[in-house]
Amino acid sequence: MPLIVQKFGGSSVANPEKILRAARRAIRAQQEGNQVVMVVSAMGDTTDDLLELAAKITDRPPAREMDMLLSTGEQVSVALMAIAIHSLGHKALSLTGAQIGVKTDASYRKARIKSIETTRLRKSLDDGNIVIAAGFQGIDDDFNITTLGRGGSDTTAVALAAVLRADACEIYTDVDGVYTTDPRVVPEARRVGRIGYDEMLELASLGAGVMHSRSIEFGKKFDVPIHVRSSFTDQLGTMIVAEPERPDLPVSGAAITKDEARITVQGVIDRPGTSLEIFSRIAAKNISVDMIVQNIGQSGRADISFTVPQNELDTALEAVREAAKVVSAEGVTSDANVAKISVVGLGMAKQTGVAEKMFRSLADAGINIQMITTSEIKISVLVSRERAPEALRIVHHAFQLDTSPHAPREEPKARGESHAARENSRGDLAAAVVTRLQSMNMEELTIDDISLDSSQARVTISGVPDKPGIAAKVFEDVAAAGIFVDMIVQSHPSAAGAATLSFTVPQNQLSKSVEAARRIAQSLGCQQVTSSPIISKLSVSGVGLRTHVGVAIRMFKALSDAGVNVEMINTSEVRVNVVVDGAAGEKGLAQLQSAFADVLR
Ligand code: ASP
Ligand code: MG
C-alpha cells in the first residue's frame, strides 16, 4: 500500500477548526488507499509563548529543561489531532519522538537525528491507524528529550518519509508553495511547479523562509520528493525534487537578504593562515559569514571583505578586530546598510551570459554593485539596502521570472499513481538508500567529492572605478570576445575608492582574455590587468555544508597547515571552492582529502 507523510505546520493546527480540517485531510488520504503518517508542529505561536514564559523566570534556563518545555507544544498537538480523528470515527494513534524512537545526539535546542525506529510505526499503520508523530523532538542515548531547532518539524517529516520510503512527503503550510521570489517585495512573483533541492537549499539560506534547510538536505540525501502546499486549498503546490521545472532556464529564483552588513579587513599580509585566523574567530561566535572576497593584493597586502547578518555585526567586529591585530591588518571598516541580491538556478551552470544579464539590468537602473561573488548555481551582489527591493524587482524581471515558463508546466504527479513506477524503477536506488540509512547517522555531514580543477587561469583588473555599470560593461565585452567565464569576484572598493575584479577562464583563452581585459581597463580608466596562467580550483562538495559551519574553516586550516595560500573563495550550500596557486593544487588536494577523510563518502 502506498504510504504518505503529511506534515502540518503551527499555523495549520492553530485552533480546533484547523485541527479538524487537517484531520479530515488525513482521513481522506487514507480512504484513497494510502497509509498515512501525520507530523504536526505546536499550535500557532505556542513555541514562542513557551520561550517567553521561560524568559520571564530567567534569561539563562538550562538547555535540557528548555527542550523538556518546548517539546510539550508538539505533544499537545498530536494528542488533539488523534482526538479529532477519533471524533470523526477513524483510528488514530499519537506518538512522541521518544515513543517512535527518534534518536538524536545530545545537543539540546539543535539536536541532529541519528536514527529512527520504524517497527512501531509500521505496526500501528498495519493495524489501520493514522499515525500522528510529534515533530521537532527526539531523545538522546540517555532518554533526555531533545529538540531539533526552530522549524524542526519539517525535518522530522522528511526524515520519517525517508526511513519509511514514503511515496510522498506533503508539507502543509500557510503559503501555497515556493515562489520565484518574495511576493511581499515583488508582487509579480510566481509560484513554481517544481524546484531542485540544491536551488531550494540556496534560496532557503538566502532567507526564503518556506522550509527548514535541514529538511531539504535530508530530502536530497535520501531522495524524498517534497510537496509544499497550502493547508487551506486542494491546489497543488511546489515539488522539491532533483530537477527544476525548466532545467534549460538559467535562473529559477531570486532572493533578497535585506539585513546584511559588510566588514572589510584592510591591508592584511597575503599569506597562508590569514583567512583561518579571521574566520575561525567569527565561527567561534557562531556567526555565519557569506560573500567572502579577497582582492588580489598588491605589494603583498590584500583586503578581505565579507558579509554577516546585520544584527551580529557588533559581535563579529569584536572578533575581527582581535584577528586584525594578529594578522597585522592596516584597518577594519564596516557598513551596516547593505543588502544582498542573489539569483539561483541549476541551469546557469551550463550557460553563459547569466552574470552579465544580471549586471546589465542593475546598471541600467543606475544601481551600484559593491561586491560580487558567484558559485556554480548562484550569483550574489551586494548593493545599498535602500535600493535593494528595487534591485530585486529589476533582476526578477530581467530573468523573466514573472512570466510562466513557455513549456507546459508539468504538474506534480498525483500521489499513489507513481507508487508502482517508483517501486520498480527505483528499487535499486531504494535499496541503496536503505543501506545508507543503516550505516550512518542520518544528519551527519557527508562530503561527496573533493576535486581539483587545474584547467583555468585567472585575470584580475584592479583600480576598477566604484560606479554603476562597470561590471556589466566588463562581462559584456568579455562575452563578446567569446570567452567563457567561470568564477567572478569583485572586491569591496578600497579606501581609495577602487575595486578589484577577478574572474577565471579556461587556460587556452587566457591571452584572449588578457587582451580583452586590457582594452576594457583602458576604456574605463582602471589601473592595471594582472593574470595568473595556471590556477588550481579546489572544491569540496556535499550535503550539510552550511548547517555544519566548520567546513570552510576545516578547508582553510588544512590549506594553511600545508602553507598553501588562498587567492579566491566562494561558498554555496553544496560546495566550497577555493582558488590557490597553480603549483599548489596537488598538495592542496591531498591535504583536503586527509582533512575530510572521516566524512568523505
Ligand atoms: N514548534 C517548533 C517551532 O515553532 C517546530 C516547528 O514548528 O517546526 O519552531
Ligand atoms: Mg512553529
Side-chain angles (χ1 to χ4, degrees):
M1 202 188 271
L3 189 156
I4 71 171
V5 172
Q6 295 187 323
K7 182 253 169 181
F8 294 87
S11 57
S12 305
V13 292
N15 58 39
E17 292 73 49
K18 289 183 175 172
I19 290 178
L20 280 162
R21 189 202 300 247
R24 283 194 207 94
R25 199 183 276 275
I27 292 167
R28 193 167 65 186
Q30 192 190 41
Q31 287 175 330
E32 285 164 6
N34 301 287
Q35 291 194 322
V36 181
V37 175
M38 294 176 91
V39 174
V40 293
S41 295
M43 294 169 69
D45 297 330
T46 303
T47 309
D48 291 323
D49 297 345
L50 292 169
L51 285 166
E52 236 171 75
L53 210 50
K56 282 189 181 138
I57 296 176
T58 168
D59 54 8
R60 303 185 58 191
R64 179 188 184 279
E65 305 311 330
M66 283 310 290
D67 277 3
M68 181 67 97
L69 176 68
L70 296 183
S71 68
T72 61
E74 272 69 12
Q75 195 169 333
V76 169
S77 305
V78 287
L80 289 173
M81 189 62 76
I83 291 169
I85 293 175
H86 280 282
S87 78
L88 296 168
H90 291 264
K91 283 176 75 176
L93 186 78
S94 64
L95 296 170
T96 63
Q99 287 174 323
I100 298 166
V102 176
K103 287 281 181 57
T104 71
D105 63 16
S107 39
Y108 300 114
R109 305 293 296 274
K110 48 174 192 303
R112 289 177 176 277
I113 299 178
K114 297 205 300 194
S115 63
I116 301 180
E117 268 304 317
T118 52
T119 335
R120 181 161 190 185
L121 282 171
R122 290 261 185 225
K123 179 162 184 319
S124 317
L125 289 168
D126 291 342
D127 289 345
N129 288 293
I130 292 177
V131 175
I132 304 151
F136 172 61
Q137 54 177 266
I139 42 165
D140 71 6
D141 288 341
D142 298 322
F143 300 97
N144 296 300
I145 293 179
T146 53
T147 64
L148 308 181
R150 295 307 306 271
S153 298
D154 288 338
T155 296
T156 306
V158 179
L160 281 173
V163 291
L164 294 168
R165 295 307 298 146
D167 295 275
C169 180
E170 300 178 336
I171 306 289
Y172 287 93
T173 173
D174 51 3
V175 295
D176 61 2
V178 176
Y179 278 69
T180 50
T181 195
D182 185 343
R184 286 166 305 184
V185 185
V186 182
E188 311 83 84
R190 187 177 57 79
R191 181 164 51 85
V192 293
R194 221 167 77 173
I195 193 158
Y197 295 120
D198 286 351
E199 295 172 326
M200 196 59 226
L201 276 169
E202 296 293 350
L203 291 169
S205 82
L206 294 168
V210 188
M211 283 187 76
H212 202 219
S213 286
R214 271 161 58 194
S215 68
I216 304 159
E217 290 179 349
F218 246 105
K220 176 179 177 187
K221 189 138 100 181
F222 298 109
D223 194 35
V224 179
I226 301 168
H227 185 177
V228 183
R229 59 192 303 187
S230 164
S231 53
F232 309 117
T233 69
D234 280 336
Q235 182 184 303
L236 297 171
T238 301
M239 291 300 296
I240 307 175
V241 288
E243 283 281 310
E245 196 167 61
R246 284 280 308 271
D248 55 320
L249 294 183
V251 170
S252 296
I256 179 169
T257 318
K258 234 180 272 163
D259 299 317
E260 292 276 279
R262 190 255 320 150
I263 298 180
T264 301
V265 190
Q266 294 171 312
V268 297
I269 297 175
D270 187 18
R271 63 165 174 239
T274 310
S275 306
L276 178 66
E277 188 64 49
I278 299 171
F279 297 114
S280 58
R281 282 171 194 267
I282 303 176
K285 307 221 174 209
N286 238 325
I287 297 174
S288 58
V289 168
D290 193 32
M291 290 193 85
I292 302 174
V293 173
Q294 172 174 321
N295 71 0
I296 306 287
Q298 292 180 21
S299 60
R301 290 200 177 242
D303 289 355
I304 298 179
S305 299
F306 50 90
T307 57
V308 296
Q310 190 201 5
N311 59 8
E312 295 186 300
L313 176 61
D314 292 342
T315 321
L317 277 173
E318 277 168 32
V320 171
R321 291 210 174 96
E322 272 168 29
K325 272 185 231 144
V326 180
V327 299
S328 27
E330 286 162 356
V332 176
T333 64
S334 64
D335 182 352
N337 293 308
V338 289
K340 180 172 66 183
I341 303 292
S342 311
V343 294
V344 171
L346 284 167
M348 75 173 70
K350 297 176 215 91
Q351 287 185 37
T352 55
V354 188
E356 62 259 31
K357 188 180 238 181
M358 178 175 189
F359 303 155
R360 170 51 59 201
S361 66
L362 295 170
D364 287 349
I367 295 176
N368 193 26
I369 299 175
Q370 303 184 7
M371 274 166 76
I372 303 171
T373 55
T374 64
S375 75
E376 281 72 11
I377 65 164
K378 175 176 74 179
I379 304 169
S380 297
V381 299
L382 198 69
V383 299
S384 73
R385 179 165 315 122
E386 201 195 350
R387 301 207 65 184
E390 182 193 353
L392 179 67
R393 233 170 289 132
I394 287 167
V395 167
H396 187 263
H397 182 71
F399 288 102
Q400 293 167 341
L401 292 175
D402 40 6
T403 52
S404 283
H406 322 292
R409 190 177 124 198
E410 189 186 326
E411 294 294 341
K413 279 202 199 81
R415 55 177 184 248
E417 261 170 42
S418 58
H419 184 66
R422 202 168 144 81
E423 289 280 274
N424 297 333
S425 78
R426 300 158 67 121
D428 291 351
L429 182 60
V433 169
V434 171
T435 319
R436 256 177 104 178
L437 280 175
Q438 283 158 351
S439 65
M440 63 187 282
N441 283 352
M442 292 188 76
E443 286 197 78
E444 217 164 59
L445 172 67
T446 45
I447 299 294
D448 299 322
D449 191 35
I450 298 180
S451 62
L452 166 64
D453 170 4
S454 313
S455 68
Q456 299 195 56
R458 172 183 54 79
V459 180
T460 297
I461 308 178
S462 43
V464 177
D466 180 24
K467 63 178 191 219
I470 302 289
K473 178 89 181 76
V474 171
F475 291 102
E476 279 163 0
D477 288 1
V478 165
I483 296 160
F484 186 86
V485 173
D486 178 19
M487 286 170 73
I488 299 174
V489 305
Q490 182 198 296
S491 73
H492 186 264
S494 69
T500 20
L501 187 55
S502 299
F503 53 95
T504 66
V505 298
Q507 271 149 27
N508 59 12
Q509 294 198 313
L510 177 64
S511 50
K512 205 157 108 179
S513 308
V514 170
E515 252 170 61
R518 290 226 167 91
R519 266 196 318 270
I520 298 162
Q522 203 166 21
S523 74
L524 297 174
C526 306
Q527 270 158 19
Q528 61 167 342
V529 173
T530 53
S531 64
S532 175
I534 305 175
I535 54 160
S536 289
K537 178 174 164 188
L538 291 161
S539 311
V540 171
S541 44
V543 171
L545 301 198
R546 189 179 78 102
T547 51
H548 292 266
V549 273
V551 174
I553 302 290
R554 233 204 250 204
M555 286 180 82
F556 293 151
K557 169 130 187 25
L559 295 172
S560 146
D561 286 351
V564 175
N565 195 22
V566 173
E567 295 180 3
M568 283 165 84
I569 303 160
N570 70 38
T571 55
S572 71
E573 294 308 293
V574 293
R575 203 198 253 263
V576 180
N577 296 315
V578 299
V579 168
V580 301
D581 181 54
E586 294 293 342
K587 183 159 131 196
L589 180 65
Q591 196 70 14
L592 292 180
Q593 274 158 345
S594 74
F596 287 97
D598 58 325
V599 285
L600 187 60
R601 238 208 347 239

